[in-house]
Amino acid sequence: MEINTQTLRSAYVGFNAAFQAGLATATSMYGQIASTVPSSTKTQEYGWLGKFPGFREWVGDRVVNGLAKHGYALTNKSYENTIGVDRDDFEDDNLGIYTPMFSDFGATAASFPDTLVWGLLKNGFAIKCYDGQYFFDTDHPVLNETGDVTSVANTDGGAGAPWFLLDVSRPLKPLIYQERKKFNKLVRMDKEDDANVFSKKEFQYGIDGRCTVGFGFWQMAWGSKQSLDAAHYATARAALSSMKGDYGRPLAIQPKLLVVPPALEGAARKIVGNSLADGGGTNEWYNTAEVLVVPWLA
């Protein structure tokens, strides 16, 4: 193949078509537990986290629900991925071998947020959220009915493989995917006088974007490293369903999503997927949650 402006343009069109096809057909799962928040600045403030505004009888003046002054902010990070195409493959008209690679390139771009979101959830036992405590912790500060600070847990500890019970029914889900620049544009460095072509005889094609992830309301998530069995599942459901905001106001949390790594799929389905319990009795937890098996948690 003669390498010129036209052939380089045609190759890019083909690579980009494969990339876009992979981008369109990829399956991602992060949206089930993370709300996508568009970002227009380097750092986004989430000072309102910590407030679950509720209604009250209107007696006297309005009571304004101001932003909680937690100082929680998420700063976008830049990420990139690049493929190099050997000049020899251009000259030998051997570009067909790159089509599957560019398709997978697109699929990887589409699922990259999964890597960040599920990694953050898995490490929520050791990363702090808006109130200064670990996202999964035993001593989140909450004001009780009399206005005194009390400690509330959204974990029961353990040392095994982590599993999670979540309420994902609200507009703001337990995690946040903050998006500044999408990973959807394939750019190229394929001029013959580009440094990479001149020095390495390599045409380069890359994608980049800006984003970050963070935590929303810890009250909507339970994380456990205990054995996944009926007793610990019952503990998680009771704790989440009983969550209250400041001054004892029930939050009406509805734990409907049981998130597990592949190794715990069987245990999860035994708890909520079988209508009969061991011994033939009725399984009280049958169909109380949807099971989501997440390969990024393996």
Side-chain angles (χ1 to χ4, degrees):
M1 177 191 293
E2 180 182 353
I3 299 177
N4 54 43
T5 301
Q6 182 177 349
T7 56
L8 289 172
R9 171 65 183 172
S10 296
Y12 170 74
V13 170
F15 292 155
N16 188 53
F19 170 76
Q20 295 297 335
L23 192 68
T25 59
T27 299
S28 61
M29 304 171 70
Y30 73 94
Q32 297 194 51
I33 70 161
S35 296
T36 297
V37 178
S39 173
S40 59
T41 59
K42 180 179 181 180
T43 299
Q44 199 86 12
E45 297 284 345
Y46 291 86
W48 45 267
L49 282 174
K51 285 288 186 182
F52 269 101
F55 283 91
R56 59 180 286 275
E57 183 181 1
W58 193 347
V59 178
D61 294 338
R62 286 181 179 268
V63 175
V64 179
N65 292 291
L67 298 183
K69 302 302 182 182
H70 290 290
Y72 190 61
L74 298 177
T75 300
N76 294 303
K77 298 179 181 180
S78 296
Y79 298 92
E80 64 84 24
N81 198 359
T82 305
I83 288 180
V85 177
D86 195 298
R87 182 189 178 107
D88 292 348
D89 287 324
F90 266 92
E91 293 177 343
D92 296 340
D93 199 10
N94 194 32
L95 298 183
I97 63 173
Y98 289 94
T99 299
M101 181 182 295
F102 277 94
S103 293
D104 188 70
F105 204 37
T108 300
S111 63
F112 177 65
D114 284 285
T115 303
L116 300 179
V117 168
W118 296 112
L120 182 67
L121 182 69
K122 186 176 183 178
N123 292 315
F125 303 90
I127 299 177
K128 294 181 180 180
C129 62
Y130 69 84
D131 65 359
Q133 302 298 124
Y134 297 134
F135 186 65
F136 296 115
D137 213 334
T138 58
D139 55 351
H140 290 286
V142 177
L143 300 180
N144 63 16
E145 288 84 348
T146 60
D148 297 320
V149 177
T150 185
S151 292
V152 177
N154 67 334
T155 182
D156 55 353
W163 54 272
F164 311 92
L165 186 62
L166 310 173
D167 179 355
V168 295
S169 64
R170 303 188 181 217
L172 182 69
K173 293 180 170 60
L175 270 68
I176 296 169
Y177 175 67
Q178 181 175 289
E179 185 177 66
R180 181 67 178 89
K181 179 183 178 183
K182 294 179 180 293
F183 297 85
N184 62 355
K185 183 177 181 181
L186 185 68
V187 297
R188 54 180 175 153
M189 289 187 65
D190 60 357
K191 295 180 181 179
E192 290 202 80
D193 56 355
D194 284 337
N196 49 289
V197 180
F198 181 81
S199 301
K200 301 178 180 180
K201 67 179 181 69
E202 181 180 76
F203 299 95
Q204 295 179 355
Y205 304 84
I207 52 176
D208 66 275
R210 294 172 63 196
C211 63
T212 193
V213 291
F215 295 115
F217 294 114
W218 57 265
Q219 297 93 333
M220 300 167 65
W222 182 273
S224 178
K225 293 185 179 181
Q226 300 285 358
S227 298
L228 180 51
D229 52 31
H232 288 109
Y233 176 76
T235 296
R237 283 192 65 84
L240 280 183
S241 300
S242 303
M243 285 287 180
K244 295 182 178 180
D246 287 341
Y247 302 105
R249 182 172 59 84
L251 298 178
I253 301 299
Q254 302 179 50
K256 294 287 188 179
L257 187 67
L258 180 57
V259 177
V260 298
L264 294 181
E265 180 178 5
R269 299 197 185 282
K270 180 180 180 181
I271 296 170
V272 300
N274 293 337
S275 59
L276 298 178
D278 292 340
T282 300
N283 177 13
E284 61 186 319
W285 304 121
Y286 172 63
N287 208 28
T288 54
E290 176 189 350
V291 175
L292 182 64
V293 183
V294 180
W296 288 275
L297 296 177

